[in-house]
Amino acid sequence: MKLLVPYLTAGVTENWIDYLLAMQAAGADAVEIGLPFSDPMLDGVTIQQASDQALARGVTIDSILAEIKGVPVRVPLIAFTYANLVFRPGADEFCRRLAEAGFRGLIVPDLPLDEAASVEAAAASHGIELTLLVAPVTPDDRLAEIVARSRGYIYAVSRMGTTGERDALASSAATLAARIKAAQAARIDAASALPVLVGFGVSGPAQAAEAGRAGDGVVIGSALMRRVLDGATPADLEAEVRALRAALDRADQEATADHASHAEISGHRG
Amino acid sequence: MPTLMTTPAAGRFGGFGGRFVPESLVPACDALAAAFSGAWADPAFRAELGDLLAVYAGRPTPLTPARNLSAALGVELLLKREDLAHTGSHKINNVLGQALLARRMGKRRILAETGAGQHGVAAATAAALLGLEATVFMGERDIERQQLNVLRMTTLGATVVPVTTGSRTLKDATNEAMRAWVADVDDAHFLLGSVGGPHPYPWMVRELQRVIGDEARSQSPYVPDVVVACVGGGSNAAGTFAGFADTPARLVGVEAAGGAAMSSGRPGVVHGARSMVLQDADGQVAEAASIAAGLDYPGIGPEHAFLGSVGRAEYHCVKDDEVVAAVRRLARAEGIICALESAHAVAWVLREAGGPLLPTGSRVLLTLSGRGDKDMATLGEVA
Ligand SMILES: Cc1ncc(COP(=O)(O)O)c(C=O)c1O
């Protein structure tokens, strides 16, 4: 099974919770909830716009968490936000509030390994999984440490650049996912290796399938948020996410079939 | 007392500084820190930079006694004349160093953010001189109010990219420059214009600007009682303070009232460093509001946050109308038209001279960070 993790900017529209439920209904395995920040340094225009729109509506972290709390979500929720929002109330208080609102995980793209210790400790104490990101330029020794310290997932940043739709998946996506897999395989706990999610700039079903083949799943953000900003209804978005789900499932079946035929061949030899 | 204004271990100034950047930029920051350490310890690099500063940028800049103002105010005022450096501000000191470093690292392009356009002009100048391609990010609002500098940049061959997001000022231009850097990290050097940003920038830019303080120290006939400079990100102040940190001189940074990170901000993480930041209860960064585009910024370099927190430096702020009055008063008293940014330091001296913060007879050394040509249109609009 390949994991499908759509991203949604919290508060982007008044009915943003309906988009969350649509994603769940369409077969999302988890949903990344973007907590909007005024200065989203690693986001391209689409998520910048979505964040600005949410903030202009007057949402706050409290109002977002309060809205989420009452919603019947079954899938894990992962908060995606920037370091200043985490440190402002203090990492411990921030993680406590996330846990109280039912979140499972947290991703902070401007919190590299070297600055992460206090947030890792705070997250762990509240049962929040802090997922760390690996970039195409991450050297092997750092990559191994990220693999060791990341929780929930390992996030493979598909390309050198910001979030945002692209015409093609960067070749760095597959290379990076393979490097992470190799680092996981080299560990003593290889059997319980965390899923590798490929994200940043993955657009549309074909790219989702390609990214899914490279790792264990995909995160899709801007491509969906673009539709929301352009006025897609929750039903429209559900159809989008279903198409991604179908493409990922097909890629998975092909891979399994492939795998089975390889196994047969090697079984023959043996 | 920690050793002040030396090389910060791992980029930390007490609890401030650090490196809060995406994983994609970590190797580039490491490479830059190593390259700067190497270059700064290399006598050949220092000699090449020193030569450019002298024969190209016009250093040393003079230390001018402001005789008429001194007499009127009852304090002894010396002006460190960065307005007389090539391109019209202290920004040239930093860009020549970083552009030489970029070339040494084999980079072809530089990316820069600018507010008032002084850093953009300086970056475009250094790029032209050293054969680098320059792309400068500038908020749309600043493009409107600093037209002269936009024309200077394009004349120098730089590409000016208007930034239309957020407050459309320096904060947003900095975001955009960092985004561009992530996408082009092999070929491009991010030529940051002040003492903010992730390690090694706050340290590197302070070292490149310390020429201001070192010169002033040797030019001054005495150790002044008070050393004062305006603070946006804080590079001209940091460079000035570096020359006096080990003396008894009081160090005073003057911020814009509408961008007073030290007086009204709280600790936070923005643009790669932990420092003082204007922000709301959630941590959303506030928009600054200053007549001086170069000080229209909600943050401040982390070393200033540290110097303030340990009491080694003090930070005050002045309002737009005091700043406008200060430009005019300095012009008429001394025949020097300074930049709106620099006028913040002047305004503080004008306001406090003879009072408890600056008693009569005080000896004051003030860094005049830039000249005011770029601000003539803005000044023409205020009564
Ligand atoms: C003349 C002048 N002074 C001061 C500044 C503020 O920068 P810093 O605080 O880094 O010296 C600027 C920035 O644009 C400037 O143009």
Side-chain angles (χ1 to χ4, degrees):
Chain A
M1 236 276 279
K2 297 294 181 181
L3 301 173
L4 173 59
V5 183
Y7 164 99
L8 175 66
T9 302
V12 62
T13 58
E14 204 192 329
N15 64 341
W16 67 278
I17 292 283
D18 295 339
Y19 293 110
L20 168 57
L21 294 173
M23 288 169 166
Q24 171 172 281
D29 294 294
V31 177
E32 240 180 58
I33 302 287
L35 303 177
F37 178 50
S38 54
D39 294 80
M41 203 252 278
L42 204 57
D43 282 304
V45 281
T46 303
I47 293 178
Q48 287 176 49
Q49 268 175 26
S51 305
D52 285 351
Q53 185 167 311
L55 292 173
R57 289 188 52 249
V59 300
T60 63
I61 301 302
D62 272 343
S63 75
I64 289 167
L65 296 184
E67 273 189 273
I68 283 188
K69 234 188 221 168
V71 177
V73 268
R74 289 170 276 105
V75 295
L77 299 181
I78 305 155
F80 180 103
T81 198
Y82 286 82
N84 201 44
L85 297 195
V86 177
F87 289 120
R88 181 69 176 85
D92 190 69
E93 170 64 8
F94 187 81
C95 291
R96 188 193 66 71
R97 285 156 73 182
L98 283 186
E100 193 186 75
F103 276 81
R104 164 86 67 90
L106 172 63
I107 301 175
V108 188
D110 58 345
L111 188 74
L113 198 59
D114 327 78
E115 304 285 358
S118 67
V119 183
E120 279 175 298
S125 79
H126 294 285
I128 295 283
E129 295 168 338
L130 181 69
T131 292
L132 303 175
L133 300 90
V134 188
V137 292
T138 303
D140 286 336
D141 51 342
R142 262 183 91 82
L143 186 145
E145 197 180 342
I146 294 171
V147 165
R149 283 166 60 179
S150 190
R151 295 290 175 264
Y153 308 92
I154 315 282
Y155 199 125
V157 175
S158 75
R159 63 169 64 240
M160 292 299 289
T162 58
T163 60
E165 290 173 87
R166 303 297 203 295
D167 293 338
L169 191 69
S171 60
S172 46
T175 316
L176 181 57
R179 286 179 59 212
I180 297 172
K181 290 276 176 191
Q184 289 179 318
R187 289 175 54 81
I188 189 157
D189 59 356
S192 56
L194 298 177
V196 177
L197 296 181
V198 178
F200 275 57
V202 184
S203 319
Q207 287 183 36
E210 198 183 337
R213 277 190 291 269
D216 301 307
V218 292
V219 181
I220 312 232
S222 299
L224 295 172
M225 292 314 295
R226 173 45 50 206
R227 302 276 291 126
V228 170
L229 291 172
D230 288 347
T233 64
D236 296 337
L237 202 74
E238 187 175 328
E240 287 293 314
V241 178
R242 277 191 200 285
L244 294 168
R245 175 82 267 169
L248 264 186
D249 289 347
R250 259 196 315 279
D252 189 36
Q253 278 155 18
E254 282 160 23
T256 318
D258 234 32
H259 196 73
S261 65
H262 279 305
E264 250 173 54
I265 293 166
S266 60
H268 235 40
R269 276 206 209 108
Chain B
M1 187 75 158
T3 319
L4 290 170
M5 307 201 87
T6 55
T7 306
R12 280 179 210 287
F13 305 92
F16 299 102
R19 189 186 279 165
F20 294 84
V21 294
E23 177 64 21
S24 304
L25 289 179
V26 170
C29 289
D30 278 338
L32 184 60
F36 180 67
S37 286
W40 210 227
D42 175 0
F45 181 88
R46 299 286 278 253
E48 190 176 9
L49 176 58
D51 185 57
L52 278 185
L53 288 173
V55 303
Y56 185 72
R59 304 207 72 90
T61 57
L63 190 67
T64 305
R67 296 210 169 86
N68 301 325
L69 263 189
S70 295
L73 296 173
V75 299
E76 222 170 282
L77 180 62
L78 296 172
L79 303 175
K80 178 60 176 161
R81 300 290 305 280
E82 294 303 296
D83 60 312
L84 292 178
H86 181 42
T87 70
S89 83
H90 70 292
K91 299 286 181 184
I92 193 75
N93 307 328
N94 171 43
V95 299
L96 286 174
Q98 284 197 51
L100 281 179
L101 187 64
R103 204 179 61 179
R104 185 179 163 109
M105 293 176 78
K107 306 287 183 182
R108 282 191 319 104
R109 299 179 60 204
I110 55 157
L111 306 169
E113 83 299 340
T114 198
Q118 286 301 107
H119 173 57
V121 167
T125 298
L129 179 69
L130 298 177
L132 299 163
E133 215 180 279
T135 304
V136 181
F137 296 86
M138 188 168 186
E140 211 172 35
R141 189 169 132 64
D142 292 337
I143 286 180
E144 283 158 22
R145 57 179 164 168
Q146 307 277 234
Q147 268 299 321
L148 175 68
N149 278 344
V150 176
L151 292 172
R152 292 170 78 196
M153 285 185 268
T154 51
T155 303
L156 289 159
T159 305
V160 179
V161 179
V163 176
T164 57
T165 49
S167 55
R168 299 176 293 127
T169 60
L170 182 54
K171 160 174 99 79
D172 311 280
T174 307
N175 288 333
E176 210 51 37
M178 292 186 86
R179 290 179 186 122
W181 192 29
V182 180
D184 192 18
V185 79
D186 281 341
D187 252 8
H189 170 65
F190 176 32
L191 208 169
L192 185 62
S194 193
V195 286
H199 178 62
Y201 287 100
W203 162 56
M204 175 172 69
V205 176
R206 179 252 283 160
E207 285 302 292
L208 292 171
Q209 290 291 5
R210 76 180 305 140
V211 65
I212 305 172
D214 288 345
E215 281 178 12
R217 172 90 175 265
S218 66
Q219 290 165 321
S220 178
Y222 43 74
V223 172
D225 301 312
V226 179
V227 171
V228 55
C230 71
V231 174
S235 68
N236 85 88
T240 305
F241 292 177
F244 297 91
D246 63 348
T247 73
R250 273 168 60 207
L251 308 177
V252 175
V254 185
E255 296 185 282
M262 291 300 286
S263 318
S264 316
R266 304 183 111 265
V269 172
V270 71
H271 296 147
R274 184 167 188 277
S275 189
M276 300 299 281
V277 182
L278 295 175
Q279 54 186 314
D280 73 8
D282 269 354
Q284 307 295 351
V285 180
E287 293 180 5
S290 166
I291 191 170
L295 307 192
D296 210 346
Y297 182 69
I300 185 170
E303 190 164 27
H304 287 292
F306 171 68
L307 291 173
S309 72
V310 297
R312 178 61 189 98
E314 50 194 284
Y315 297 85
H316 302 287
C317 53
V318 296
K319 297 202 207 63
D320 284 354
D321 57 346
E322 297 176 284
V323 171
V324 170
V327 172
R328 293 183 174 142
R329 177 120 187 241
L330 181 70
R332 285 165 203 186
E334 303 292 341
I336 298 170
I337 301 178
C338 72
L340 284 168
E341 289 78 16
S342 325
H344 284 67
V346 178
W348 182 80
V349 171
L350 294 179
R351 187 178 73 200
E352 304 300 344
L357 289 180
L358 201 55
T360 300
S362 298
R363 298 190 291 193
V364 182
L365 188 144
L366 182 155
T367 293
L368 211 57
S369 57
R371 69 174 187 233
D373 309 38
K374 68 185 179 60
D375 299 318
M376 289 304 102
T378 303
L379 279 175
E381 285 163 20
V382 290

